[in-house]
Amino acid sequence: DAGVIQSPRHEVTEMGQEVTLRCKPISGHNSLFWYRQTMMRGLELLIYFNNNVPIDDSGMPEDRFSAKMPNASFSTLKIQPSEPRDSAVYFCASSPTNTGELFFGEGSRLTVL
Amino acid sequence: GESVGLHLPTLSVQEGDNSIINCAYSNSASDYFIWYKQESGKGPQFITDIRSNMDKRQGQRVTVLLNKTVKHLSLQIAATQPGDSAVYFCAENMEYNAGNMLTFGGGTRLMVKP
């Protein structure tokens, strides 16, 4: 099993640019989560999909952040326009239905200059 | 100005000693608890879990203890090895209408001295 696959692993961009992070969950997993990790705030849940439908996006910081899951094997997290305070590691995780265990990807480290 | 980073509690142990990492959780309705290990530059990885109807789960080197009265969880690692060096997170799971929600603690850094 390939696990959760995220891309890019690293991205450096300038303030104001659009950033798109990508995630391929583990095949057969029905739930997908986007987390953000920073030294200041630790691991924060941004948004959660169940069967491709956004269920809880209360963690999305502001309107500059959006997430989509067009099908069961792909999700994107977009930041537009990006700001330096968005610099963090963004993790995608997936989970089988009816269990709490999450399987994390390796993360996308974003630096906004 | 310079921002102050999150200060992770750190446990430093000698190789071969036992380690105990503690975690306080917040929600008495949480029904499932998971410990994750995060090595530098990687995503969190599942180590072990325990359901709220248990107070102890023992593995080969890893034991989880759950005290629901005081909402406390601990992870015990026997004969700690250098490869155990990482940040350890506890997470509590609660079911709600839409599914399951995992909330993570702040983490503890374990440093193993050879």
Side-chain angles (χ1 to χ4, degrees):
Chain A
D1 196 337
V4 175
I5 298 173
Q6 291 188 245
S7 66
R9 289 296 313 277
H10 302 273
E11 173 133 359
V12 180
T13 190
E14 291 188 344
M15 184 173 68
Q17 296 298 304
E18 178 179 293
V19 172
T20 300
L21 307 178
R22 297 172 178 80
C23 175
K24 182 180 188 313
I26 293 173
S27 177
H29 283 192
N30 293 340
S31 299
L32 184 141
F33 302 76
W34 282 100
Y35 282 85
R36 176 171 69 176
Q37 187 175 41
T38 61
M39 286 299 293
M40 286 288 290
R41 303 168 78 101
L43 265 169
E44 301 174 278
L45 177 65
L46 300 178
I47 187 169
Y48 155 42
F49 292 86
N50 194 37
N51 292 322
N52 312 341
V53 176
I55 301 300
D56 186 345
D57 65 355
S58 58
M60 296 285 263
E62 45 197 278
D63 291 346
R64 297 184 297 107
F65 285 69
S66 62
K68 293 182 180 178
M69 192 164 185
N71 57 61
S73 59
F74 184 65
S75 176
T76 59
L77 177 68
K78 188 173 290 188
I79 309 172
Q80 166 64 16
S82 58
E83 296 182 3
R85 62 192 167 124
D86 301 330
S87 298
V89 181
Y90 290 81
F91 287 103
C92 176
S94 68
S95 175
T97 305
N98 298 326
T99 73
E101 183 185 347
L102 299 184
F103 295 79
F104 283 83
E106 297 282 82
S108 294
R109 180 176 293 277
L110 172 66
T111 302
V112 183
L113 303 174
Chain B
E2 186 178 23
S3 60
V4 177
L6 180 69
H7 176 68
L8 280 179
T10 298
L11 175 65
S12 185
V13 300
Q14 201 69 39
E15 181 179 359
D17 287 352
N18 297 333
S19 302
I20 300 176
I21 300 171
N22 296 305
C23 176
Y25 64 93
S26 57
N27 195 326
S28 55
S30 296
D31 60 354
Y32 177 53
F33 304 87
I34 306 178
W35 280 98
Y36 281 87
K37 173 186 179 183
Q38 186 176 22
E39 295 174 303
S40 181
K42 296 189 175 181
Q45 288 181 298
F46 172 90
I47 305 173
T48 187
D49 57 3
I50 189 167
R51 298 218 168 260
S52 58
N53 60 354
M54 303 167 64
D55 53 21
K56 182 177 181 179
R57 183 170 186 182
Q58 188 152 12
Q60 214 169 11
R61 267 201 320 126
V62 169
T63 300
V64 186
L65 297 178
L66 174 63
N67 185 332
K68 293 183 286 293
T69 304
V70 295
K71 293 190 284 188
H72 184 267
L73 200 61
S74 69
L75 177 72
Q76 300 180 0
I77 304 173
T80 314
Q81 302 164 3
D84 296 326
S85 294
V87 177
Y88 289 81
F89 294 94
C90 67
E92 58 182 305
N93 179 76
M94 193 174 64
E95 287 192 20
Y96 66 115
N97 288 343
N100 297 304
M101 172 76 79
L102 261 190
T103 303
F104 285 82
T108 296
R109 185 181 304 281
L110 175 65
M111 296 175 62
V112 182
K113 296 176 286 188

